[in-house]
Amino acid sequence: MKPSLLLSAWFIARKDLAIEFRTRTAFLAVLVFAVLGIATFYFAWDATAVAAIDLAPGVLWVIFTFSGLLSLQRSFGVELADRAMDALLLAPIDREAIFLGKALANLLFVAGILVVTVPSVALLYNLPLGRTLPILFAIALIAAIGLVAVGTLFSAMAANTRLAELLLPMLSLPFFVPIVYGAAQTTSMLLAGRPVAEAWPFMKILIAFDLVFLTACTLTFPYILEE
Amino acid sequence: MLQGGGPPDTSAYYRIAYAWAAVLYAGYSIILWTRARRLRRRLAARTRTAGS
Amino acid sequence: MTTRALPDDADAASPASMGAASRPLFDWLFGVAVLAMVAAFVRAVYFTPIEALQGAAQKIYYVHVSAALSAYLALGIVALMSIVYLWLRDERADRLAESAGEVALVFLTAVLTTGPLWGKPIWGTWWTWDARLTLTLFLWFLTAGYLVLRGAVDDPSMRARYSAVIGILAALLIPFIHLSVYLFNTLHPKPILLKPDKPSMPNEMVVTFVGFFIACALLCVALIRARYRYGVARDVVRAMDAAEEGGE
């Protein structure tokens, strides 16, 4: 019998993470890009006109989205070399497991970026994070799940096209809009010291997005791989 | 107008809107037509070489 | 459609496919649509009273809303044909989705450009991030992305599968974009004609609008059909190219 869906997904994720852990170049490069982006935003900012607390959520989520795109690009890009994808397809596992495994690896990758970018934004823009930090990370994780679900599917698609580097952002960004919107609104509410309950409508959208797109992308992924 | 003043004259906006919509629809039709004509020429050239 | 699916490469040059490829793009339906459109324009411009509050700019409503409804019609076809393609694997469904997508982009462009021309005199601003404006803008982005994706994949079956997946996912995305922006207050006028009670518009204007809408929908269908026929001819030429390369 084939290994269970989740177990085989974990094998795929472990393979991707092992490659990443041994080379480490992509993760470090994306981290540098993210911090660089945050710093660049600082120079486009008039501190007397816009308070840091109003600007920071936007900076955080825009930079996070773009560094997420950079890392997603690699997800299936690495499988193109030596036609590694064919070997992956020969493995006795479901196509859905390949998707979930890839998505899990991407989620961990993106969570790693968040662990660095959230404190960097707080540090560079002098934000009073303190007690809101755990909730902020929870929201970031919810947002990251939706982002990774859509992004992984589109990465698989874009890798097989001409214009791959251009097509992934062009296809993904409209899908990231509800995520960026919900996450940024929730973040700014939390930073303003408002109660978490007020952000609930936005969080509901984020959770619904995760559920719908995780399901839809898992189900449509086999159509992408078909020969 | 019965009462003095009335609505401000906004006819310029609507004239532009209607002219632009007409240009857009006609433009797309013409582009489609040119694409089809180019294709038909290729098709005709092909059948001629195939027939000879 | 009564024609059968495109034949394989082997008989690409068969009389049947040549016949299908050389059907005229602009036939009677297109002629009717153009005449209806001209009549709708003339009626809206010369034979419809000017609204008291908004002045002449209110007339933009006819061209704007009918373009929007036609764009939704075309996008509905894209979404539906995407599902049909993944289900039946019929290349006609894919070609119809492609045609409707391209025509939808034209109508969405008309919506997005006539909208601000109405907004400037009435709202005092070209653009606002209102729920429906934002949704239409993103529909435009999604449709453009869909067409760029189609252009970036060479293999026909891969292109059909990829674009069908995008078509379905984009349809799922629409409620989310709408919902997120709806949490803001919306400036956009609520539907006037399709309200449950009586439409809040004088009869003359209703006639103009309904006429304009029918003309626009006819044009939409005629353009999709013309684009579909172009697609048939293009695929015949491509199949011949492929057969020649493979044969040599």
Side-chain angles (χ1 to χ4, degrees):
Chain A
M1 215 185 109
K2 287 191 290 188
S4 81
L5 186 72
L6 291 180
L7 186 65
S8 32
W10 169 242
F11 289 149
I12 300 282
R14 206 177 53 183
K15 169 195 81 74
D16 273 19
L17 291 172
I19 295 175
E20 195 45 56
F21 192 72
R22 281 178 201 149
T23 56
R24 246 166 290 178
T25 43
F27 187 65
L28 288 177
V30 173
L31 276 191
V32 171
F33 168 80
V35 179
L36 191 61
I38 294 167
T40 311
F41 250 103
Y42 184 87
F43 294 102
W45 172 44
D46 180 1
T48 53
V50 183
I53 210 164
D54 295 327
L55 181 76
V59 173
L60 174 64
W61 289 104
V62 168
I63 291 299
F64 172 66
T65 308
F66 280 91
S67 27
L69 275 176
L70 276 187
S71 46
L72 288 166
Q73 193 96 65
R74 276 178 42 85
S75 182
F76 281 87
V78 290
E79 306 290 354
L80 286 181
D82 305 326
R83 299 191 61 90
M85 197 65 219
D86 292 351
L88 207 54
L89 289 176
L90 282 175
I93 51 173
D94 291 323
R95 302 283 155 93
E96 285 87 351
I98 299 181
F99 174 77
L100 289 174
K102 282 282 182 187
L104 182 63
N106 285 335
L107 184 66
L108 293 173
F109 195 96
V110 159
I113 300 172
L114 272 172
V115 169
V116 176
T117 45
V118 172
S120 310
V121 171
L123 195 76
L124 293 172
Y125 289 81
N126 256 322
L127 296 179
L129 273 186
R131 285 185 301 115
T132 55
L133 202 61
I135 310 174
L136 197 56
F137 271 121
I139 292 161
L141 197 65
I142 297 173
I145 291 173
L147 183 129
V148 156
V150 176
T152 304
L153 181 79
F154 287 178
S155 164
M157 228 186 263
N160 283 321
T161 62
R162 289 178 273 125
L163 307 172
E165 300 82 7
L166 197 68
L167 210 58
L168 180 62
M170 193 171 177
L171 293 176
S172 322
L173 281 177
F175 285 83
F176 291 170
V177 161
I179 303 176
V180 170
Y181 178 75
Q185 293 290 330
T186 319
T187 310
S188 55
M189 280 181 182
L190 287 175
L191 288 180
R194 311 257 280 281
V196 186
E198 250 179 76
W200 185 234
F202 298 104
M203 287 171 73
K204 272 201 283 198
I205 293 185
L206 285 181
I207 293 170
F209 188 95
D210 288 359
L211 291 176
V212 168
F213 280 97
L214 199 55
T215 315
C217 294
T218 312
L219 291 179
T220 47
F221 184 72
Y223 292 108
I224 300 299
L225 291 188
E226 222 170 84
E227 280 311 304
Chain B
M1 293 295 129
L2 261 155
Q3 296 156 330
D9 183 29
T10 52
S11 52
Y13 290 100
Y14 110 82
R15 293 226 170 86
I16 295 172
Y18 273 68
W20 166 242
V23 166
L24 199 60
Y25 297 151
Y28 179 69
S29 309
I30 291 168
I31 287 172
L32 205 53
W33 181 72
T34 6
R35 278 157 87 190
R37 197 184 50 171
R38 205 177 307 142
L39 200 65
R40 202 150 294 163
R41 283 201 184 137
R42 271 183 67 192
L43 205 60
R46 209 161 254 291
T47 36
R48 229 176 295 125
T49 47
S52 63
Chain C
M1 294 282 144
T2 47
T3 49
R4 48 190 209 87
L6 253 194
D8 291 318
D9 305 2
D11 55 8
S14 72
S17 69
M18 291 301 283
S22 57
R23 277 184 309 178
L25 257 60
F26 302 111
D27 55 351
W28 61 271
L29 183 65
F30 191 82
V32 171
V34 168
L35 285 180
M37 212 59 193
V38 169
F41 265 70
V42 169
R43 171 158 175 117
V45 173
Y46 297 107
F47 299 101
T48 303
I50 286 175
E51 210 248 0
L53 275 175
Q54 298 186 1
Q58 183 269 336
K59 287 188 175 180
I60 294 174
Y61 173 91
Y62 308 121
V63 68
H64 176 75
V65 178
S66 53
L69 293 176
S70 305
Y72 294 159
L73 173 74
L75 290 174
I77 294 176
V78 177
L80 192 67
M81 285 305 126
S82 299
I83 297 170
V84 169
Y85 179 79
L86 287 189
W87 181 28
L88 298 176
R89 302 304 171 101
D90 190 328
E91 61 181 2
R92 286 174 299 178
D94 176 57
R95 208 179 295 123
L96 187 53
E98 175 190 40
S99 313
E102 205 176 287
V103 173
L105 194 69
V106 175
F107 282 100
L108 284 173
T109 308
V111 177
L112 281 176
T113 42
T114 53
L117 283 168
W118 179 85
K120 183 64 183 165
I122 305 299
W123 286 341
T125 174
W126 294 107
W127 182 264
T128 112
W129 290 96
D130 151 272
R132 241 182 282 179
L133 274 71
T134 312
L135 186 64
T136 314
L137 180 66
F138 275 92
L139 285 177
W140 195 92
F141 286 144
L142 286 167
T143 314
Y146 175 86
L147 293 172
V148 171
L149 173 74
R150 295 200 66 103
V153 186
D154 292 325
D155 179 58
S157 111
M158 193 193 249
R159 175 173 57 231
R161 279 183 283 118
Y162 281 19
S163 42
V165 167
I166 288 282
I168 292 169
L169 290 183
L172 288 176
L173 177 70
I174 289 167
F176 283 98
I177 293 185
H178 189 69
L179 210 64
S180 355
V181 201
Y182 211 74
L183 293 177
F184 279 140
N185 279 335
T186 179
L187 251 185
H188 197 283
K190 296 282 173 291
I192 294 175
L193 209 59
L194 296 172
K195 276 197 307 201
D197 45 351
K198 273 177 63 182
S200 49
M201 217 196 246
N203 264 339
E204 272 176 302
M205 293 188 185
V206 173
V207 171
T208 304
F209 171 69
V210 171
F212 215 114
F213 165 65
I214 292 172
C216 209
L218 266 179
L219 182 69
C220 179
V221 171
L223 282 176
I224 292 175
R225 190 158 94 135
R227 177 63 182 74
Y228 182 91
R229 290 185 173 181
Y230 167 75
V232 172
R234 181 207 53 199
D235 288 350
V236 167
V237 171
R238 276 194 190 159
M240 287 164 102
D241 285 345
E244 202 164 75
E245 267 170 37
E248 238 82 333

